[in-house]
Amino acid sequence: MDRLQFFSPVRISRAPGQPVEDIDGVREAMAFLRKWPKGRRGPVYQCALNCCAAALAGKMSAEEARKAFTGFARITRLLDDDMALPMDSENRGSAYALRR
């Protein structure tokens, strides 16, 4: 396995009804971030970009970069609902309450 590959992809959904896009590794996440509109690049974007750059430089693991990219996708409401929050049956109700 490539050291820059994510253990599991980050699933991006640009809009309801649109195809879901899987981001499989640091290079794909970095390419996605570089295309992000300049007017929407805030601190969460910058954190994800910095983490991906650090992973590319070997200073951070791909999974740490994945966490930052997933946070960016969640904040920008791009994260596919299927992977928004890992949960067990006990926490399902409270987790959905937090997202709304």
Side-chain angles (χ1 to χ4, degrees), residues 26-93:
V26 175
R27 286 185 186 91
E28 283 184 55
M30 184 66 99
F32 184 93
L33 291 167
R34 285 184 178 144
K35 293 177 189 173
W36 192 248
K38 290 185 179 177
R40 296 186 62 200
R41 296 180 180 184
V44 176
Y45 164 88
Q46 195 60 53
C47 176
L49 187 72
N50 291 347
C51 289
C52 287
L56 286 170
K59 297 180 180 185
M60 181 177 280
S61 74
E63 286 308 298
E64 290 170 311
R66 180 188 184 280
K67 287 178 186 177
F69 183 74
T70 300
F72 162 79
R74 181 176 289 120
I75 293 294
T76 56
R77 297 183 179 254
L78 291 172
L79 193 64
D80 184 55
D81 284 340
D82 288 344
M83 71 170 294
L85 291 170
M87 62 187 74
D88 56 26
S89 59
E90 290 178 23
N91 297 326
R92 191 172 305 258

